[in-house]
Amino acid sequence: MSGSAFLHRFIGVSVALVIAMAPRSASSAEETKQPLPPPPLAYTKADQPSWLPRVLNRLVKKKGWILEDHRLFRQGGKPTFLALIWNTRRLSGHGHMELYKVRVISQRNVRLNFVRGYTQTSLSIEEPSGHDIGGDGVPFLALRYASHGSSSRGYGVRVYRLVRNSVDVTPDWAGHAKRMLALDGGKSLALIVHDTRWSGYFNVCAACGPFFDIVMTWTPKGFRPACRSHPGYYEKLMEHLRKKWAAWEEKMRKRPTKRHPREIFHDFLETEIIEAFSLLQMGRIEEGQARYVAALEKARGRGAGGWGISEKFFEYWLFIVEKDFGPAVAAASAHPGLSCPLMAYKYSGSPTGPMELIDLFRYKPEYRP
């Protein structure tokens, strides 16, 4: 390991061990879910087929599990797929999704063919399921999962297009799919994907960012980046960050709490970079460049003493921030026409990821005396 990488890890670990007294900066705005109309490509309780309760009861008796939720999908007015969410009842129980292809021969003769399963600590069917996301009459299943662990990778969404025996269309190539949202006043559905290349950069924790959001929408070729087409999403994100920091500053003014200056310095850098990168994703390249440069100038202008940190710590972090974030700004600036300009940067953003950092503290059998 190089001396720089070791120092990065050591400083990150020392900061993470300090108890934070202020809210962490976020990479995703707390979107208010916009209610959607009943899904046209899925049955509701009001119009479900008469055979469905009977089939569900048989499955419950056969498995001995708790049926948490179900969704029967349709295409061309006929049932096509049945998604089931189970809880296994055990103390260490987990959620299990089963997806069946449905063939209705008669009301008394319904055939189910198992095509796919998925297991996680807890699972749920997201609201966009059963909506015509692609505009071609083919239903989608959006499956939200949660591990209940500390890693951000244990929380997200898988998206399936219900054709043939179902196709997993989650764009793992772009990052970590987090959730589906109704944007633009409910006019369009988008998948929010986290660019996790800088995760765990400022603090050692599996859920720490910064994460940079990619807005993706469905096309005939699958989910594709569409950041510049949805500037409102990033404007809400930046507004959320500003309000969060203003509330924290007001709280500190009224009742100061002990918090390590290093954490405050890190939070400032992380928040400013998220805003700068959000502007870049929106296609507002010059504003994003200016915001990034201004953040570093503001940090330097205050100086190590102004932040209450050592000169060595101060200079080190400004150096590696410029080294690890600057090339991404340059790449986005060189490709302003991309749907999501930050995707022009093809390299890893952080010298160490969260899992590598956590691995340092894991017990390894080979270390046994």
Side-chain angles (χ1 to χ4, degrees), residues 109-248:
N109 188 357
V110 178
R111 307 288 177 88
L112 299 182
N113 180 35
F114 177 80
V115 293
R116 182 184 296 274
Y118 191 87
T119 301
Q120 186 50 275
T121 304
S122 66
L123 298 170
S124 61
I125 297 173
E126 287 290 275
E127 190 181 44
S129 299
H131 284 271
D132 195 358
I133 296 173
D136 57 359
V138 175
F140 283 70
L141 166 63
L143 182 68
R144 173 163 289 282
Y145 61 88
S147 66
H148 297 178
S150 61
S151 174
S152 62
R153 291 187 176 274
Y155 302 82
V157 65
R158 306 299 303 178
V159 186
Y160 305 97
R161 182 170 160 84
L162 301 183
V163 292
R164 302 188 294 278
N165 284 333
S166 77
V167 181
D168 187 338
V169 294
T170 314
D172 295 317
W173 57 270
H176 186 61
K178 293 301 290 184
R179 64 197 181 285
M180 295 197 74
L181 292 177
L183 300 180
D184 307 323
K187 295 177 182 177
S188 59
L189 287 168
L191 178 66
I192 306 301
V193 176
H194 276 179
D195 182 341
T196 60
R197 288 178 290 177
W198 288 268
S199 61
Y201 190 91
F202 294 103
N203 294 281
V204 184
C205 104
C208 291
F211 307 113
F212 302 106
D213 290 359
I214 302 169
V215 177
M216 306 191 80
T217 55
W218 182 258
T219 75
K221 294 183 178 181
F223 282 106
R224 289 295 181 268
C227 305
R228 292 173 58 200
S229 299
H230 298 278
Y233 174 80
Y234 294 98
E235 288 168 355
K236 285 184 178 180
L237 166 58
M238 292 188 291
E239 181 184 358
H240 166 71
L241 288 173
R242 293 188 196 110
K243 286 182 177 179
K244 194 172 185 179
W245 273 101
W248 177 72

Side-chain angles (χ1 to χ4, degrees), residues 1-16:
M1 182 189 300
S2 69
S4 175
F6 177 79
L7 183 58
H8 183 279
R9 289 187 177 191
F10 177 77
I11 294 174
V13 170
S14 67
V15 173

Side-chain angles (χ1 to χ4, degrees), residues 2 48 54 62 66 71 183 200 210 225 227 234 251 294 303 347-349 368:
S2 69
Q48 67 181 11
R54 183 181 74 253
K62 179 181 178 181
I66 299 172
R71 192 70 52 90
L183 300 180
C227 305
Y234 294 98
K251 181 180 178 181
Y347 306 99
S348 173
R368 183 180 298 157

Side-chain angles (χ1 to χ4, degrees), residues 41-43 71-74 79-81 83 129-130 139-141 162:
L41 302 180
Y43 292 91
R71 192 70 52 90
L72 180 64
F73 297 90
R74 57 188 168 194
T80 54
F81 287 87
S129 299
F140 283 70
L141 166 63
L162 301 183

